[in-house]
PDB file of all heavy atoms in Angstrom:
ATOM      1  N   THR O 117      -1.628  -2.332 -22.122  1.00 25.00           N
ATOM      2  CA  THR O 117      -1.429  -3.130 -23.356  1.00 25.00           C
ATOM      3  C   THR O 117      -0.365  -2.568 -24.290  1.00 25.00           C
ATOM      4  O   THR O 117      -0.024  -1.399 -24.190  1.00 25.00           O
ATOM      5  CB  THR O 117      -2.714  -3.322 -24.145  1.00 25.00           C
ATOM      6  OG1 THR O 117      -2.758  -4.661 -24.558  1.00 25.00           O
ATOM      7  CG2 THR O 117      -2.822  -2.454 -25.347  1.00 25.00           C
ATOM      8  N   ASP O 266      15.767  25.675 -24.289  1.00 98.00           N
ATOM      9  CA  ASP O 266      16.868  24.757 -24.583  1.00 98.00           C
ATOM     10  C   ASP O 266      16.565  23.879 -25.797  1.00 98.00           C
ATOM     11  O   ASP O 266      17.435  23.631 -26.625  1.00 98.00           O
ATOM     12  CB  ASP O 266      17.146  23.860 -23.363  1.00 98.00           C
ATOM     13  CG  ASP O 266      17.915  24.605 -22.270  1.00 98.00           C
ATOM     14  OD1 ASP O 266      18.587  25.608 -22.592  1.00 98.00           O
ATOM     15  OD2 ASP O 266      17.834  24.189 -21.099  1.00 98.00           O
ATOM     16  N   PHE O 285      -8.558  25.629 -14.237  1.00 89.00           N
ATOM     17  CA  PHE O 285      -7.602  26.746 -14.150  1.00 89.00           C
ATOM     18  C   PHE O 285      -6.990  27.054 -15.500  1.00 89.00           C
ATOM     19  O   PHE O 285      -5.779  27.003 -15.670  1.00 89.00           O
ATOM     20  CB  PHE O 285      -6.490  26.435 -13.145  1.00 89.00           C
ATOM     21  CG  PHE O 285      -6.963  26.543 -11.750  1.00 89.00           C
ATOM     22  CD1 PHE O 285      -7.380  25.421 -11.062  1.00 89.00           C
ATOM     23  CD2 PHE O 285      -7.030  27.777 -11.122  1.00 89.00           C
ATOM     24  CE1 PHE O 285      -7.847  25.522  -9.769  1.00 89.00           C
ATOM     25  CE2 PHE O 285      -7.501  27.881  -9.829  1.00 89.00           C
ATOM     26  CZ  PHE O 285      -7.908  26.752  -9.151  1.00 89.00           C
ATOM     27  N   VAL O 302       7.148  26.528 -32.400  1.00 98.00           N
ATOM     28  CA  VAL O 302       6.541  26.437 -33.731  1.00 98.00           C
ATOM     29  C   VAL O 302       7.151  27.487 -34.667  1.00 98.00           C
ATOM     30  O   VAL O 302       7.456  27.202 -35.824  1.00 98.00           O
ATOM     31  CB  VAL O 302       5.004  26.556 -33.635  1.00 98.00           C
ATOM     32  CG1 VAL O 302       4.366  26.739 -35.012  1.00 98.00           C
ATOM     33  CG2 VAL O 302       4.420  25.326 -32.936  1.00 98.00           C
ATOM     34  N   ILE O 353     -20.049 -13.106 -13.459  1.00 97.00           N
ATOM     35  CA  ILE O 353     -20.346 -11.707 -13.783  1.00 97.00           C
ATOM     36  C   ILE O 353     -19.062 -11.068 -14.284  1.00 97.00           C
ATOM     37  O   ILE O 353     -18.011 -11.136 -13.639  1.00 97.00           O
ATOM     38  CB  ILE O 353     -20.911 -10.994 -12.557  1.00 97.00           C
ATOM     39  CG1 ILE O 353     -22.311 -11.553 -12.290  1.00 97.00           C
ATOM     40  CG2 ILE O 353     -20.978  -9.492 -12.757  1.00 97.00           C
ATOM     41  CD1 ILE O 353     -22.831 -11.283 -10.937  1.00 97.00           C
ATOM     42  N   THR O 590     -18.598   7.033 -27.930  1.00 95.00           N
ATOM     43  CA  THR O 590     -18.051   7.483 -26.648  1.00 95.00           C
ATOM     44  C   THR O 590     -18.152   6.351 -25.636  1.00 95.00           C
ATOM     45  O   THR O 590     -18.680   5.277 -25.929  1.00 95.00           O
ATOM     46  CB  THR O 590     -18.854   8.667 -26.089  1.00 95.00           C
ATOM     47  OG1 THR O 590     -20.167   8.189 -25.766  1.00 95.00           O
ATOM     48  CG2 THR O 590     -18.943   9.793 -27.091  1.00 95.00           C
ATOM     49  N   SER O 662     -12.499  32.051 -36.601  1.00 98.00           N
ATOM     50  CA  SER O 662     -12.921  30.936 -37.472  1.00 98.00           C
ATOM     51  C   SER O 662     -12.214  30.979 -38.818  1.00 98.00           C
ATOM     52  O   SER O 662     -12.172  29.978 -39.533  1.00 98.00           O
ATOM     53  CB  SER O 662     -14.432  31.002 -37.720  1.00 98.00           C
ATOM     54  OG  SER O 662     -15.120  31.034 -36.509  1.00 98.00           O
ATOM     55  N   ILE O 747     -15.223  17.284 -47.449  1.00 98.00           N
ATOM     56  CA  ILE O 747     -14.241  16.298 -47.895  1.00 98.00           C
ATOM     57  C   ILE O 747     -13.860  16.564 -49.343  1.00 98.00           C
ATOM     58  O   ILE O 747     -14.726  16.657 -50.221  1.00 98.00           O
ATOM     59  CB  ILE O 747     -14.818  14.866 -47.757  1.00 98.00           C
ATOM     60  CG1 ILE O 747     -15.118  14.578 -46.282  1.00 98.00           C
ATOM     61  CG2 ILE O 747     -13.845  13.829 -48.315  1.00 98.00           C
ATOM     62  CD1 ILE O 747     -15.937  13.334 -46.057  1.00 98.00           C
TER      63      ILE O 747
END
Side-chain angles (χ1 to χ4, degrees):
T117 223
D266 283 337
F285 285 96
V302 169
I353 290 162
T590 66
S662 305
I747 298 168

